[in-house]
Amino acid sequence: MEMEYRDPSKRGRWIVVAGVVLALAAGGAAFYLINQAQQQAGQGELQKVSVVVAARPIAARQPVVAEDLTVREVPADDTNTDAIAVRDPAEVIGQVLPVTLFQGQMLTKSLLNTTAGGGTTGFSILDPGQTVASDSVAWRAVAITVPDDRAVGGLITAGMTVDVLLSAQINVPQDLMTEGKYYTDNATKITYQNMLVLAKTSSGYVVKVTLEQAEEITHLVATGNAQFSMIMRPPSDVRFADASKLGETTNMIIQRYGLPIPQNFPPGKGPIPSAAPTATPSLPVTAPSGAPGASTAP
């Protein structure tokens, strides 16, 4: 009996070919299904929300104006919920942001400093990135009233740094006045340097101070014997002058510039004597009519 010979290598090749065909078919089917799913997802309605973004760069500590803002439609997600994103530009206009915003950056409600009552303060006491720690400075905000003529004509605005001068009446005890060296008068001296103005309303200025400075200012205002003045300083100048060498009184200015000192007139004490009366001019003498040298009326 004769047996038929078959080559096993041919059978193996067919198995490999079949495997490749099945793999290609499976890959094509997967690609088709994924593509269909993407098309269906793109055809579905994408939920969007309106958010307020910076239309241009907004500098920190500068009041926001309407031109700084724009409203943009963005896909809704966890980063722009009602509790996070600002929807209405009116919530931001006039506010002073604690940090600089770049163009296109979304405004969040965390940038708006709110009070316990729900209103806005419009400023931040702490600098951008500044935090509170157990050993950090106790920064506070306090208000002082400075008329425009003592605040660079009212040109000082929020975000500027200023020096504050104090003018107060120095009351000298009577026994020292009797000695003739001291007398009661006003004195002026620079008291606070490089102080940041957080906000301004008319002639009221909210300034950033330490807790100790807040106590001093509050006491001086309460006494009614103090007047504040503000002088503008360049933002880049952060130097502190040696205040121990400063301070002015009227006598010091008189001596420094040689101002003339008014004297009593006439010198000495007592009443001013009356001036001698001015003589009354006499009438011209007229010679008798017809006499030599007589004058005749024209």
Side-chain angles (χ1 to χ4, degrees):
M1 183 177 189
E2 295 182 359
M3 298 183 62
E4 185 178 359
Y5 172 79
R6 295 183 180 181
D7 189 356
S9 61
K10 292 184 179 180
R11 183 178 179 182
R13 286 197 296 269
W14 282 108
I15 293 175
V16 171
V17 171
V20 171
V21 172
L22 291 175
L24 292 174
F31 175 80
Y32 175 80
L33 293 175
I34 293 174
N35 189 43
Q36 287 293 106
Q38 290 179 342
Q39 291 180 357
Q40 292 176 1
Q43 294 175 355
E45 184 176 355
L46 182 63
Q47 184 179 2
K48 293 186 177 182
V49 292
S50 300
V51 297
V52 177
V53 301
R56 58 189 181 187
I58 304 175
R61 300 193 181 282
Q62 295 295 327
V64 179
V65 298
E67 291 76 10
D68 292 332
L69 308 172
T70 188
V71 178
R72 181 174 297 173
E73 295 287 327
V74 298
D77 56 35
D78 295 337
T79 65
N80 52 40
T81 62
D82 291 341
I84 298 176
V86 177
R87 309 288 190 205
D88 187 359
E91 298 181 44
V92 188
I93 295 176
Q95 299 292 322
V96 178
L97 303 181
V99 296
T100 298
L101 293 188
F102 300 101
Q103 183 175 358
Q105 186 173 351
M106 183 180 71
L107 279 88
T108 61
K109 294 185 178 180
S110 62
L111 295 174
L112 308 181
N113 304 282
T114 58
T115 62
T120 57
T121 62
F123 61 84
S124 171
I125 298 178
L126 300 180
D127 293 332
Q130 191 174 23
T131 58
V132 176
S134 58
D135 57 346
S136 61
V137 178
W139 292 112
R140 299 292 184 266
V142 69
I144 58 177
T145 300
V146 184
D148 288 349
D149 60 335
R150 298 203 306 268
V152 198
L155 299 177
I156 296 175
T157 59
M160 291 184 177
T161 54
V162 297
D163 293 333
V164 178
L165 291 83
L166 168 66
S167 298
Q169 179 174 298
I170 309 301
N171 297 317
V172 177
Q174 184 61 43
D175 56 343
L176 293 179
M177 293 179 62
T178 304
E179 295 177 2
K181 183 177 182 180
Y182 301 101
Y183 70 100
T184 296
D185 196 4
N186 289 335
T188 299
K189 186 168 184 174
I190 185 170
T191 49
Y192 307 108
Q193 301 184 47
N194 199 25
M195 184 171 284
L196 177 64
V197 178
L198 299 174
K200 175 190 177 182
T201 56
S202 185
S203 59
Y205 294 85
V206 179
V207 292
K208 180 179 179 178
V209 297
T210 64
L211 189 58
E212 294 79 4
Q213 292 171 337
E215 267 191 343
E216 294 172 358
I217 292 173
T218 302
H219 174 74
L220 291 169
V221 172
T223 62
N225 185 32
Q227 294 182 340
F228 295 102
S229 301
M230 285 184 172
I231 54 176
M232 193 183 303
R233 61 186 294 157
S236 59
D237 188 355
V238 295
R239 297 172 298 171
F240 279 79
D242 184 1
S244 65
K245 301 178 181 179
L246 301 174
E248 296 297 338
T249 63
T250 303
N251 282 348
M252 293 174 66
I253 296 177
I254 291 175
Q255 294 173 7
R256 181 179 301 125
Y257 297 104
L259 298 180
I261 302 175
Q263 298 182 10
N264 291 323
F265 179 82
K269 298 182 179 180
I272 299 177
S274 300
T278 303
T280 303
S282 59
L283 297 175
V285 178
T286 306
S289 177
S295 60
T296 58

